[in-house]
Amino acid sequence: MAVSDYTGQAALTAVDLVNSLDVITGRDRLRDGEDAAALLARHHWEVGRTVSAADLERLRELRPRLRFVFGGTPVQKSVADLNALLRDLRAQPHLTDHDGAWHWHYARPRAPLGERVATSCVVALLTAIADGGAGRLRICDGADCANVFVDASRPGLRRYCDTKSCGNRAHVTAYRERKRTRSVG
Ligand SMILES: [Zn+2]
Ligand SMILES: [Zn+2]
C-alpha cells in the first residue's frame, strides 16, 4: 500500500484502529480476527474473512501508541515515539512494482499482515505530521466522544470526528441552548 498524502487509506486505517477502542465507554470493536478483517477490508487491505491471533494482537497493542500522538502531544514526543515504533517494527522501506506500478512498501518483504498494517499506519501519521504539522492530529470536540481524526481539510479547522454525527449533535445542542436562553429572556 502506498501513502501518497495524509488523507490516504493508511492514515484512515490508523484512525479507524484507534477509534475501535472507545476510551470513554471502554467498548471495544476489535475483539477478534473477524473484527480486524472487517476493519482492514474497509480500507482496501487484502484480507480473508479473519486475521490470525498474532496479527490481531499486534493491531490491538498498536492502538494506545497511535492514540498517543493525537490531541496536542508535543510534536517532538510524537515523532520520537513513532520513529521508535518504526524501529521496533524493523521497517524496511523499498520500492516495488509487484502490482504493475512502482510504489513504496514500508515493512520488511513478506512481513506478516499485522506488521505491514502497523508500519503503514506509523508512516502515514509521520507523513501527516511532516505535511501538515502535529496539530492536524486531533481528538473530536464532541461532548461524549474521544474519537481521533486527521484534519486534512485545507483550512485545518475541523473539530469533529464525523460531521454527520458529532458535528450535527453539537449544532443541535447549540440550537437548543439558544432557544432556551431566548425563551427565558
Ligand atoms: Zn503494494
Ligand atoms: Zn466525535
Side-chain angles (χ1 to χ4, degrees), residues 11-58:
L12 295 177
T13 307
V15 163
D16 213 0
L17 268 176
V18 171
N19 292 342
S20 70
L21 179 62
D22 186 325
V23 293
I24 294 176
T25 63
R27 183 164 171 258
D28 195 341
R29 290 183 294 108
L30 197 67
R31 288 152 307 176
D32 54 32
E34 286 170 27
D35 286 347
L39 188 153
L40 294 177
R42 275 204 293 282
H43 300 291
H44 311 297
W45 289 87
E46 279 175 30
V47 283
R49 288 187 99 79
T50 186
V51 307
S52 74
D55 287 333
L56 174 67
E57 201 41 46
R58 166 79 76 187

Side-chain angles (χ1 to χ4, degrees), residues 74-144:
V75 62
Q76 296 291 346
K77 261 181 159 357
S78 294
V79 170
D81 208 59
L82 291 173
N83 280 339
L85 250 173
L86 277 187
R87 223 165 26 240
D88 294 350
L89 289 161
R90 289 172 292 167
Q92 192 182 310
H94 57 282
L95 210 60
T96 168
D97 65 348
H98 70 93
D99 63 358
W102 290 107
H103 61 284
W104 284 103
H105 277 190
Y106 299 98
R108 294 176 299 146
R110 289 177 297 281
L113 177 71
E115 197 175 312
R116 283 186 283 129
V117 172
T119 308
S120 287
C121 287
V122 173
V123 169
L125 295 181
L126 281 168
T127 306
I129 292 172
D131 287 358
R136 294 283 180 152
L137 307 184
R138 307 231 178 93
I139 295 174
C140 180
D141 271 356
D144 300 313

Side-chain angles (χ1 to χ4, degrees), residues 145-161:
C145 185
N147 278 351
V148 303
F149 64 92
V150 176
D151 183 0
S153 69
R154 199 176 289 266
L157 300 171
R158 193 175 146 193
R159 292 175 55 203
Y160 301 104
C161 63

